[in-house]
Structure formats: structure tokens, C-alpha cells
């Protein structure tokens, strides 16, 4: 085959002197793969990308998967398709009649693999798929490589979509800023683009631009101004992010404490089994999810919303049971209810442990709670966001129940003046039981939400009980709004302390703060005024 | 119930039993051969020694709860602090025999790249200093904490909850390696106490006898305090705090003093506990431990001192038995105990005994403290 001979001759020439290509650029590029040496393969990838050959994506993909083969005798390169059929790498035509046994695989190492990923990214910059182009531009931004500048410029020339164009400009700015080369105006433009982006990567690149050995004074000044501006933006976003984390933690605290605010705050019952009501709510969620998965798989997405009323009913019923059998004998003796309900909590924990085992139970998240999104510089996970929304909804619903329903009215009447309420014909025993059931039911609802972010195990409740009491006491007993403010305030304070002090020390600091605060204001943040307090 | 300035018949029996045990148990363990019917194994001696430390803890809790109405849910913190003081002494006695053979620093400090002993550890190679600290540190904490809490009239449930927060905060703090107290693993691998091997039978017997004597001493002190005029004021505070204040007593001073004394007793219990069990770690600060101590007192009978010690020994003996024989059911039983005792036995076992004997022998009703009513929590308005 004369053609083969020519290619072989050319190849020899190329290897000896690295001479510029004489044949079609694709053939030259492919020839590098037949040398069976890593540096040659590396160069082959570059040239293949530069050649813009239509087969390039297929060849590079095959190389990555170990499907790229060459004939050591003829120096032709082929790639195997998934079906096993061979295609010629230069033309993409089916290469029938080539004996696969005689072919050798083009070898890979990690250097080649990462190179390959970058090269495929460069190809993606030109992809007709907009999402692919955006992703490729993002990758190019995060792994700036001076070699990709040409590909980015080529893509910029063709790009019409404004978002993709902006992403490409940022990628180009990253490359220019980190390369330490290029005209001054180009570098200044890159710094301006990066400043507009204003995230941690941008800061890093701007610093690199300032540190480049040949950076002019103008570039250096612009870079340092840009760096301080980015740092300021970053610290603002960081503060907002902390506030969001704090809000998220605070809503979890509120959710766990809000039921306690009813039983402890409004009824004056120290319910140490409150945490176990949360745990029972979480287990109800788990059981319901399994039931739905077994009997109605089509509804599995809805198992979490169904669990909310179910957990309320289960935990509420258990709460009513506890009130009728234990607590009603102990009204007016708060310290003894504390001990008795602690006993109840031990029994419930062990009962769950005996029934379900001590291991964590998996509760899966429905699709709408998965993933996260960005809001400016904020990263918000959907699950956390829904918990915040859910908590506020529960709080609002509870306020409505207490203020706008006959039951709420009776409950407030009983807590304000039991004997008078009784004289007016309210069955105080029934109201006590229902109020305790309400508090427990809300704890159960909290369990549904917490099953999404915590381990569902028999010890789930234990970790929340102390925090819940702190929130209720800090907010002021008998005051639901106080509980709201205390939970969110403590959550946010905790998250703002964490970066300086670490998670554990922040928690200790919060505990110490509450202990000191109680000394100053023994009745909490929003103390009730009037004679009821001095009882 | 003991009359003023006496221990009463029950207290005398209690003291006699303790002192007899202090003499006889070590004798039985050391002097009789292993197969003899009178022989007590070292395991049993250590186990009962541990119960005695718990009994001293229960006694300290009864002093504040039964006689002053302060339900402290952080008594375990004082116990653990005392234990750490003793543990630090025992750590220093290891000297160069640790895995890293560093004569100055305990193993965990070498591991955590300490270069010199932190100031908190200075002096702990001296036994008297360690004992002093086992009393002084819990005492000082209780003094400061109590003074501020009682001065601002934090009472009842609020006090219980902030004492729980106190022990919880200490739990978290001691878990940190940066505290310099061994972090998660605590202090262990003890070798010597006062030059004797902590694991030898003789040392174990001596520790047992010391625990008996300490419990007896604790009882004498507690009985003397509660039997005095001072004790009568604290009982009055328990039953009607506002009225005592209106009568001109400085309630917060009484409460602070009792609280501090009780914390020191708890610290001593912890200091005796650690050499017997051979380890002290942050788990001792767990709020659940403190609540468990409350149930010992409740089971035995609060406001009886002897009952508290009895309750501690009984409940822990039951725990040892049930966690060995039926581990599944222990928590059911403990939980049931909490519920049943509060519902049906508000005066505990001794209260029940008193009631039964009073019924059998008609005569002047037994002089018992009025059913101690805690301050009724205000049932405030929903906003």
C-alpha cells in the first residue's frame, strides 16, 4: 500500500525533527498515537483537537475508554464501537476486513486521562447543546489552561447565547489571569470580568494575575483593588450564608421546641419524653415510607406529606395516653412530672429499640427535597429550605389553632383559670389530655422533618431534648412568639460563632450564655407580666 | 426520722453497718482463702465499693433535693469533676511507664504534641492537692453557680434545667482534646495510688474501706447539717421559700451553702469512684447520669439520707443484675421505676416502711416532714 508507505515515511520524518505536518492535520495528529509513547499520545490529543476533525470527539472518547487501537505495521488508527465493529479514526468510515487481533491498544496513564478530560471539554465548548457548552465553559473556568485559550476564543466567536457568552468570557478571563502572559489591556479586562464574578475562584485568579512575574504596575494595582473588592463581596455573602445556616438550624430548634412550648410553656408540664415523641414521628415516617413502597409504589413520592398527619396522630395519641395514665396525677408537681416523664422516655426508647433494632433506619428524601440551588452567592439546599418553610407553616397553624378555634379558646381558658373554666362547663380533664396530645402531635410532626436531616434511631429524641428546653426557657415560658425568636436567634448566633470557635465551642458558648441569661432574667426573654408569674 | 442533733435509730444502724463492712469486707477478701464460704472476690468488693460511691452521690443529692428543694440535674457534673481530679493524680503517678515513656507528660499529651504540662495539671502529682481539688473544684463551681442562680431567684424547674445545661456544657467541653483532659478517651491506664498498685487486691480492699468510711462521714455531716437549726431553715425553704424570705432569712445564702456542701460531697464520691473503676471519661457528665442519680434518691426516699444511700445501692445492684441477665428489659424496668415511684411511692421505700409500721403500731404519728411540695409552677397565660 503506497499510502501507508508515505505515512510511515512522514512519520519517521516527524519523529526525527518534529517537522510541521505535510499530510492532512488529522493524519498527523493520529500518527502520534501509533508511537506507543505517552508524550506522543499527549501531543496527538492536542493536534487532534486543533485539527477540528469531525471524528475527534469519537476518537478521544474511544481513547478514554481504551477502545482506540492502532496497527503497529501500517500505523493506521482505528476505534472500536460499542458493538465491536472497527471504524477508521481519520475518516470515521467502517473499516471492515481489518484483523482486530493484530491491533494494539493506545495506552493511557493518569496524565493522559486528565488531559483527555480537558480536551473533551474544549470540544464541548463548540457543542450544539447549550447546557453542554455552559458546563464546558464552567469547567474551563475552574481548570484554566493557557492551551485552551484558542478553543475558548474560537467558541466566543461563534457563541450567540448571552449566558454561555458570559461564561466563556469568565473562562477566558481566568485563563488570561492565570497564564501570566498577554497584553496589559487584555489582563485588565480579565481582572474586571473576574471582579464582576466575585467568588472565591475569582479572588484566587486575581491574586495570581497580581503575582505574575511580568505584571505591569497598572495590572498590579487593578488586581489588588479587585481582590479587596472581591473579599468584601465574599464576606457579605458569607455573612448571608451564615445567616441562612442559622435560620435553618433555628427552624430545626423551633420545630423540636414548639411542641414543648405547649406542654411546658402553656400547660406547665415538664415533658422529658418530648424527644421521644419526635423520635416516634420519625419512625412513623419510616414505617409509612416502607408501607407505601410495598403496597403503592406509585405514591412513594407522596409518602412524606402523608407522614405529616400520620405522625401527628400517632404521637398525639401516645401523648394523650401518657397524659391520662401518668401526668394527670402529677399536675402542680412539676419536678415529679419531670422524673415520671423521664421514665416514660426510657420505656419508649427501649420499646422502639426492641421493635426496630438499635440501628439507624433509612428515610429517603422525595425528589422535591433533593439537590440545591444558588441564589447569588448563597448555596441553598432544597431540603433545608423546605424545613424552614414547613416550620413556619406549623408555627402559623398552631397560632391559628390556639387563637381561632373553640379548642384553643378552651385550652387558654383552662390554663388561665382552671376552676373558673370548669365552672363554665369546660371539661378540664379532656382539655388537658387534648392539649398534651397537641403538643406531642407537633413533636411527631417535627420528627417527620427531622427524619430528613438526622439519623432515625432510638436515640434521635435525646439529642433534641436539652436544646428544646433551652429554647423554651430562653424564649420565656408560655410565650410561643418568644419560642420563635429564641429558636431563630440561638440558631443564627450558633452559626455565626462557629467559624471563630468551632462547632462544639460555639454550642458551649450558647449554653453558657443561656445559663447566664437565666440568672439575669429568670423568666426568659419575653417574660409574662402580672400576677400569674408570681403564683 | 432523726431528731435534732441525733442520728436516730435508723442512722445508727446505718453507721454501724458501714463501719462493720469497712472492717469485715476487706478481711473476708484478703484473709480467707479463695474457695471459702466467707470469701468475697475482688470483683465483688470493687462492685460494692462502686455502689458506695454512688450512695455518697445520692446522699449529696438528697441533701439539696430532700432538704432544700433544689432538684439539681447536674449533680453528676460535680461527681465527674471530683473524679477528674483524682484521675489527674493517678495519671501523674504513671510517670515514665506510659507507652511513650515520657516522664513529664501523660500519653495523650505526647500524642497531641504538648510540650509542657498545662497549668491545670500543676500540682496533681501530690495526693493531698488532688484530694483538695476534688473537693474545691466542684465546691467552687457550685458556689459561683449557686450564688448567681439563687440570688436571681432561679427556682424549681428553671434551676433543674440550667443545672442540666451546666453538665451538658461540661460534657461537650471535656470531649474536646483542647481542654487538656484526655478528650473523648478520658483518663485511664492507672498504675499506682499512693505507691500501691491500683489493681491489687489489697488496694481494692483499702479503697472499699475508705469508701465505707467516706460514706459514713458524709452521712454524719449531712445528718448534722440537716439536724441543726440551719437545716431546719433549709427545710423551711423547701416547703415555703417565699415565707422564709419574708421572715427575714437570706434564702440565697442558705441555698448556696447547702448546694456547695453537696457538690463537695459529690466530688469526693467521684474521687473515690475513679480508682475503683479505673477510668474517668466525659461520659460521666452525661445528663442522663445525673437524672439516674435522682431516681436512686426517689426510690430510697427523699429527705431521709439513709434512704438515698439505700436507693443508690438497690437500684445499682438491680442494674448490674438486669443488664447482665436481661439487658433488653433493664431500661423498661428503670423507666417503670421512675413512673411508679413518682406516682405511688412519693416518699420512697423508707416512706413506705414508715407508713406500714405506723399503721401497725397505733400511737403518736411518726414525725415526718410534710409532703414536700415543690413550688407550683405558674400556669401562665398563653400570651
Amino acid at each position: 500500500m503506497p499510502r501507508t508507505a508515505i505515512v510511515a515515511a512522514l512519520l519517521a520524518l516527524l519523529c526525527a525533527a518534529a517537522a510541521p505536518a505535510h499530510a492532512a492535520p488529522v493524519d498527523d495528529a493520529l500518527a502520534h498515537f501509533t508511537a506507543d509513547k505517552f508524550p506522543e499520545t499527549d501531543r496527538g490529543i492536542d493536534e487532534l483537537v486543533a485539527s477540528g476533525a469531525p471524528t475527534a470527539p469519537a476518537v478521544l472518547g474511544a481513547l478514554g475508554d481504551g477502545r482506540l487501537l492502532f496497527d503497529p505495521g501500517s500505523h493506521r488508527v482505528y476505534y472500536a464501537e460499542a458493538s465491536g465493529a472497527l471504524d477508521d479514526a481519520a475518516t470515521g468510515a467502517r473499516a471492515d476486513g481489518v484483523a482486530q487481533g493484530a491491533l494494539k491498544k493506545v495506552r493511557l496513564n493518569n496524565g493522559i486521562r486528565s488531559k483527555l478530560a480537558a480536551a473533551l471539554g474544549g470540544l464541548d465548548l463548540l457543542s450544539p447543546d447549550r447546557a453542554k457548552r455552559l458546563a464546558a465553559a464552567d469547567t474551563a473556568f475552574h481548570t484554566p489552561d493557557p492551551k485552551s485559550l484558542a478553543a475558548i476564543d474560537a467558541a466566543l466567536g461563534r457563541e450567540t447565547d448571552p449566558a454561555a457568552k458570559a461564561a466563556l468570557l469568565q473562562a477566558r478571563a481566568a485563563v488570561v489571569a492565570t497564564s501570566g502572559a498577554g497584553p496589559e489591556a487584555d489582563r485588565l479586562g480579565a481582572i474586571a470580568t473576574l471582579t464582576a464574578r466575585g467568588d472565591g475562584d475569582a479572588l484566587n485568579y486575581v491574586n495570581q494575575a497580581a503575582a505574575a512575574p511580568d505584571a505591569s504596575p497598572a495590572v498590579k494595582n487593578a488586581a489588588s483593588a479587585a481582590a479587596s473588592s472581591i473579599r468584601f463581596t465574599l464576606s457579605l455573602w458569607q455573612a448571608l450564608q451564615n445567616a441562612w445556616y442559622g435560620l435553618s438550624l433555628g427552624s430545626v430548634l423551633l420545630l423540636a421546641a414548639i411542641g414543648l412550648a405547649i406542654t411546658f410553656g402553656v400547660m406547665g408540664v415538664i415533658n422529658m419524653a418530648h424527644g421521644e415523641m419526635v423520635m416516634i414521628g420519625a419512625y412513623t415516617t419510616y414505617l409509612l415510607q416502607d408501607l407505601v413502597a410495598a403496597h403503592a409504589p406509585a405514591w412513594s413520592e407522596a409518602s412524606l406529606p402523608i407522614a405529616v398527619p400520620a405522625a401527628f396522630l400517632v404521637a398525639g395519641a401516645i401523648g394523650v395516653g401518657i397524659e391520662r395514665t401518668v401526668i394527670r396525677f402529677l399536675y402542680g408537681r412539676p419536678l415529679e412530672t419531670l422524673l415520671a416523664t423521664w421514665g416514660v422516655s426510657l420505656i419508649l426508647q427501649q420499646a422502639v429499640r426492641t421493635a426496630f433494632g438499635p440501628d439507624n433506619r433509612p428515610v429517603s428524601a422525595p425528589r422535591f427535597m433533593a439537590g440545591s440551588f444558588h441564589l447569588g452567592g448563597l448555596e441553598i439546599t432544597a431540603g433545608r429550605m423546605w424545613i424552614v418553610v414547613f416550620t413556619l407553616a406549623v408555627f402559623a397553624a398552631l397560632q391559628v389553632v390556639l387563637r381561632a378555634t373553640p379548642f384553643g379558646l378552651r385550652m387558654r381558658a383552662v390554663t388561665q383559670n382552671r376552676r373558673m373554666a370548669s365552672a363554665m362547663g369546660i371539661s378540664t380533664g379532656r382539655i388537658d389530655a387534648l392539649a398534651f396530645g397537641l403538643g406531642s402531635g407537633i413533636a411527631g410532626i417535627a420528627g417527620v422533618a427531622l427524619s430528613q436531616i438526622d439519623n432515625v434511631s432510638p436515640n434521635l429524641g435525646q439529642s433534641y431534648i436539652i436544646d428544646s428546653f433551652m429554647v423554651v426557657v430562653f424564649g420565656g415560658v408560655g410565650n410561643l412568639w418568644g419560642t420563635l425568636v429564641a429558636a431563630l436567634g440561638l440558631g443564627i448566633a450558633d452559626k455565626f460563632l462557629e467559624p471563630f470557635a468551632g462547632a462544639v465551642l460555639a454550642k458551649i458558648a450558647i449554653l453558657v450564655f443561656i445559663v447566664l441569661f437565666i440568672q439575669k432574667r429568670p423568666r426568659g426573654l419575653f417574660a409574662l407580666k402580672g400576677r400569674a408569674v408570681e403564683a | 426520722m432523726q431528731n435534732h442533733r441525733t442520728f436516730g435509730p435508723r442512722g445508727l444502724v446505718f453507721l454501724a453497718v458501714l463501719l462493720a463492712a469497712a472492717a469485715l469486707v476487706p478481711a473476708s477478701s484478703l484473709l480467707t482463702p479463695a474457695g471459702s464460704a466467707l470469701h468475697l472476690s475482688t470483683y465483688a468488693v470493687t462492685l460494692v465499693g462502686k455502689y458506695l460511691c454512688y450512695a455518697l452521690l445520692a446522699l449529696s443529692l438528697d441533701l439539696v433535693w430532700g432538704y432544700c428543694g433544689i432538684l439539681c440535674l447536674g449533680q453528676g457534673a460535680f461527681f465527674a469533676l471530683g473524679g477528674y481530679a483524682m484521675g489527674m493524680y493517678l495519671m501523674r503517678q504513671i510517670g515514665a511507664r506510659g507507652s511513650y515513656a515520657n516522664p513529664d507528660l501523660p500519653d495523650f499529651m505526647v500524642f497531641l504534641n504538648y510540650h509542657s504540662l498545662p497549668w491545670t495539671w500543676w500540682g496533681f502529682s501530690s495526693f493531698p492537692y488532688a484530694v483538695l481539688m476534688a473537693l474545691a473544684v466542684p465546691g467552687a463551681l457550685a458556689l459561683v453557680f449557686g450564688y448567681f442562680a439563687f440570688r436571681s431567684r432561679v427556682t424549681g424547674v428553671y434551676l433543674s434545667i440550667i443545672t442540666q445545661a451546666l453538665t451538658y456544657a461540661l460534657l461537650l467541653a471535656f470531649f474536646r482534646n483542647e481542654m487538656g483532659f484526655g478528650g473523648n478517651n478520658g483518663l485511664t491506664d492507672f498504675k499506682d495510688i499512693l505507691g500501691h498498685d491500683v489493681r491489687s487486691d489489697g488496694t481494692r480492699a483499702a479503697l472499699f474501706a475508705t469508701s465505707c468510711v467516706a460514706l459514713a462521714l458524709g452521712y454524719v455531716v449531712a445528718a448534722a447539717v440537716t439536724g441543726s437549726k440551719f437545716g431546719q431553715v433549709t427545710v423551711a425553704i423547701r416547703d415555703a421559700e417565699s415565707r422564709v424570705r419574708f421572715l427575714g432569712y437570706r434564702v440565697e445564702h442558705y441555698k448556696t451553702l447547702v448546694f456547695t456542701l453537696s457538690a463537695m460531697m459529690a466530688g469526693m464520691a467521684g474521687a473515690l469512684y475513679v480508682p475503683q473503676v479505673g477510668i474517668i471519661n466525659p461520659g460521666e457528665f452525661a445528663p442522663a447520669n445525673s437524672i439516674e442519680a435522682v431516681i436512686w434518691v426517689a426510690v430510697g426516699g427523699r429527705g431521709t439520707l439513709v434512704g438515698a444511700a439505700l436507693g443508690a445501692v438497690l437500684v445499682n445492684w438491680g442494674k448490674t443484675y438486669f443488664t447482665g441477665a436481661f439487658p433488653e428489659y433493664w431500661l423498661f424496668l428503670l423507666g417503670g421505676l421512675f413512673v411508679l415511684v413518682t406516682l405511688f411511692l412519693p416518699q420512697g421505700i423508707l416512706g413506705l416502711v414508715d407508713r406500714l409500721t405506723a399503721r401497725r403500731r397505733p400511737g403518736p404519728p411518726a414525725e415526718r416532714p410534710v409532703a414536700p411540695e415543690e413550688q407550683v409552677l405558674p400556669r401562665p397565660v398563653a400570651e
Side-chain angles (χ1 to χ4, degrees), chain A residues 267 270 331 335 339-340 342-343 350 403 415-416 418 466 469-470 477-478 481 505 508 511 519 522-523 528 532, chain B residues 145 148-149 152 157-158 160-161 165 168 173 176 287 291 294 328 331-332 335 338-339 342 374 378-381 383:
Chain A
M267 296 178 66
I270 319 294
Y331 280 117
L335 293 184
L339 294 180
W342 176 260
Q350 186 61 36
R403 287 165 170 275
T415 52
Q416 282 171 24
R418 174 172 297 267
I466 292 184
F469 269 112
M470 290 300 135
V477 170
W481 286 104
L505 215 54
I508 297 172
L511 282 173
Q519 323 272 349
R523 301 286 167 194
L528 293 168
Chain B
F145 186 87
F148 285 107
S152 18
V157 175
Y158 296 90
S160 301
I161 288 172
Y168 186 56
R176 304 179 71 236
I291 298 186
V294 172
E328 284 278 288
L331 277 184
F332 284 128
F338 271 96
V339 176
T342 43
E374 281 93 3
R379 307 178 121 247
V381 194
E383 283 150 80

Side-chain angles (χ1 to χ4, degrees), chain A residues 78-114:
Chain A
Y78 303 96
Y79 60 89
E81 288 189 26
S83 62
L86 285 180
D87 291 337
D88 188 289
T91 60
R94 182 60 52 89
D96 291 323
V98 179
Q100 204 157 354
L103 301 181
K104 272 186 79 175
K105 207 184 267 182
V106 180
R107 291 178 301 137
L108 286 169
N109 64 8
N110 280 340
I112 301 283
R113 274 191 199 96
S114 56

Side-chain angles (χ1 to χ4, degrees), chain B residues 133-183:
Chain B
M133 283 297 127
L135 289 168
V137 171
L141 177 65
L143 186 70
V144 173
F145 186 87
Y147 176 73
F148 285 107
F150 301 135
R151 195 189 56 166
S152 18
R153 302 189 189 173
V154 181
T155 52
V157 175
Y158 296 90
L159 187 84
S160 301
I161 288 172
I162 63 168
T163 51
Q164 189 174 39
L166 172 77
T167 191
Y168 186 56
L170 283 169
L171 168 80
L172 293 175
F174 273 75
F175 264 123
R176 304 179 71 236
N177 281 332
E178 293 82 351
M179 279 285 282
F181 296 109

Side-chain angles (χ1 to χ4, degrees), chain A residues 334-339, chain B residues 57-73 75 156 159-160 234-235 237-239 258-259 262 290-305 308 338 341-342 345-346 372-374:
Chain A
L335 293 184
E336 315 223 327
T337 45
L338 189 156
L339 294 180
Chain B
L57 174 63
L59 199 68
S60 76
L61 189 58
D62 195 22
L63 191 61
V64 280
W65 185 35
Y67 289 90
C68 203
I70 304 165
L71 176 53
C72 176
L73 293 185
Q75 203 71 5
L159 187 84
S160 301
T234 64
V235 170
I237 290 171
R238 173 192 75 187
D239 293 339
V258 176
F259 193 52
S262 143
S290 297
I291 298 186
E292 222 177 296
V294 172
I295 202 63
W296 306 338
V297 179
V299 165
R302 57 183 280 217
T304 60
L305 295 183
F338 271 96
V341 166
T342 43
L345 275 183
E373 289 298 322
E374 281 93 3

Side-chain angles (χ1 to χ4, degrees), chain B residues 134-345:
Chain B
L135 289 168
V137 171
L141 177 65
L143 186 70
V144 173
F145 186 87
Y147 176 73
F148 285 107
F150 301 135
R151 195 189 56 166
S152 18
R153 302 189 189 173
V154 181
T155 52
V157 175
Y158 296 90
L159 187 84
S160 301
I161 288 172
I162 63 168
T163 51
Q164 189 174 39
L166 172 77
T167 191
Y168 186 56
L170 283 169
L171 168 80
L172 293 175
F174 273 75
F175 264 123
R176 304 179 71 236
N177 281 332
E178 293 82 351
M179 279 285 282
F181 296 109
N184 205 356
N185 300 321
L187 311 175
T188 188
D189 281 338
F190 305 136
K191 307 257 191 266
D192 291 347
I193 179 164
L194 289 172
H196 304 283
D197 183 358
V198 270
R199 272 162 292 194
S200 75
D201 293 355
T203 314
R204 288 289 164 96
L207 283 169
F208 177 90
T210 316
S211 304
C212 284
V213 172
L215 181 57
L217 267 178
Y219 174 73
V220 170
V221 170
V225 167
T226 54
S228 67
K229 179 164 176 291
F230 177 88
Q232 287 186 308
V233 176
T234 64
V235 170
I237 290 171
R238 173 192 75 187
D239 293 339
E241 178 167 341
S242 302
R243 196 178 302 177
V244 178
R245 187 174 284 121
F246 299 153
L247 286 172
Y249 289 97
R250 296 294 297 271
V251 167
E252 61 273 23
H253 292 180
Y254 284 84
K255 284 178 137 182
T256 308
L257 267 180
V258 176
F259 193 52
T260 307
L261 178 66
S262 143
M264 289 164 77
M265 278 169 68
M268 195 34 50
L272 282 164
Y273 173 81
V274 167
Q276 302 193 56
V277 296
I279 184 168
I280 174 81
N281 61 28
E284 295 293 335
F285 285 103
N289 284 13
S290 297
I291 298 186
E292 222 177 296
V294 172
I295 202 63
W296 306 338
V297 179
V299 165
R302 57 183 280 217
T304 60
L305 295 183
V306 176
L310 194 68
V313 173
L314 275 181
V315 174
N316 280 295
W317 178 77
K319 183 178 188 172
T320 308
Y321 175 73
F322 276 98
T323 48
F326 314 100
E328 284 278 288
Y329 296 104
W330 165 244
L331 277 184
F332 284 128
L333 203 77
L334 184 66
L337 206 59
F338 271 96
V339 176
L340 296 178
V341 166
T342 43
L343 283 183
F344 302 113
L345 275 183

Side-chain angles (χ1 to χ4, degrees), chain A residues 19 40 55 86 100 123 139 160 234 245 252 278 289 351 365 411 446 458-459 480 535:
Chain A
E40 285 296 319
T55 55
L86 285 180
Q100 204 157 354
L123 289 174
T139 311
T160 51
L234 278 180
Y245 285 147
V252 169
V278 176
Q289 178 192 285
M411 190 178 136
N459 301 327
L480 285 181

